[in-house]
């Protein structure tokens, strides 16, 4: 006696060529690119302000990480320009931009922690942006099925 079996429909997950991750992470990757661009532009503005006038920023109390405000200005300016380039690379789906974005967001978090005495609220906002960018770039999937 032959038992006839009907083919089981394949699950939607098996039809995908790659796992896209959660929708939050996928949308978060695009948002991370936007945030890197915005944080880069804000870094350029912070840098120009620090370089142009030493008395734009005032330090709150005594702090271990004392740098001249002009030095901080150059640090923020250079990091801001690099963040803009990496954010643009993320929009193009470049894998190097993904890895570089994680590293630079981590560096940005540390530098903004050290920048806390000069602009506490702005530094905390930049730290939060950096942490979100790290999360989004680490959990989102790379666009492997791009067409040229």
């Amino acid at each position: 006696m032959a038992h006839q079996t009907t083919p089981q429909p394949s699950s939607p997950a098996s039809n995908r060529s790659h796992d896209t991750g959660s929708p939050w992470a996928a949308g978060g990757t695009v948002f991370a690119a936007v945030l890197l661009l915005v944080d880069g532009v804000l870094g350029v503005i912070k840098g120009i302000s620090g370089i142009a006038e030493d008395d734009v920023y005032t330090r709150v109390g005594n702090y271990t990480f004392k740098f001249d405000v002009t030095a901080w200005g150059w640090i923020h300016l250079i990091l801001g320009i690099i963040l803009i380039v990496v954010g643009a690379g993320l929009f193009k789906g470049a894998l190097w931009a993904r890895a570089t974005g994680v590293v630079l967001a981590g560096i940005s978090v540390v530098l903004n922690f050290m920048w806390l005495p000069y602009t506490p609220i702005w530094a905390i906002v930049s730290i939060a942006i950096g942490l979100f960018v790290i999360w989004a770039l680490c959990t989102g999937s790379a666009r492997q099925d791009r067409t040229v």
Side-chain angles (χ1 to χ4, degrees):
M1 186 171 197
H3 186 292
Q4 195 171 19
T5 60
T6 57
Q8 297 293 325
S10 60
S11 68
S14 65
N15 290 336
R16 291 186 207 152
S17 61
H18 67 285
D19 187 19
T20 59
S22 74
W24 280 98
T29 303
V30 174
F31 191 52
V34 171
L35 285 179
L36 276 178
L37 287 172
V38 169
D39 202 24
V41 169
L42 292 176
V44 168
I45 293 170
K46 280 192 270 189
I48 291 172
S49 324
I51 293 168
E53 270 308 311
D54 266 352
D55 48 341
V56 170
Y57 298 115
T58 59
R59 190 173 56 239
V60 179
N62 216 357
Y63 199 58
T64 305
F65 307 108
K66 290 187 212 175
F67 287 139
D68 182 46
V69 176
T70 305
W72 275 115
W74 281 107
I75 290 169
H76 284 294
L77 179 66
I78 292 168
L79 182 63
I81 291 169
I82 296 171
L83 286 176
I84 290 170
V85 170
V86 171
L90 279 173
F91 276 121
K92 294 183 180 209
L95 185 61
W96 66 265
R98 195 176 220 13
T100 307
V102 171
V103 171
L104 287 177
I107 291 171
S108 177
V109 167
V110 171
L111 288 176
N112 279 298
F113 175 75
M114 294 168 59
W115 179 247
L116 271 169
Y118 297 93
T119 56
I121 293 174
W122 197 352
I124 290 171
V125 168
S126 290
I127 289 170
I129 288 172
L131 292 175
F132 178 80
V133 166
I134 291 169
W135 172 82
L137 294 179
C138 288
T139 58
S141 65
R143 292 186 285 181
Q144 299 172 356
D145 55 345
R146 292 186 330 185
T147 57
V148 179

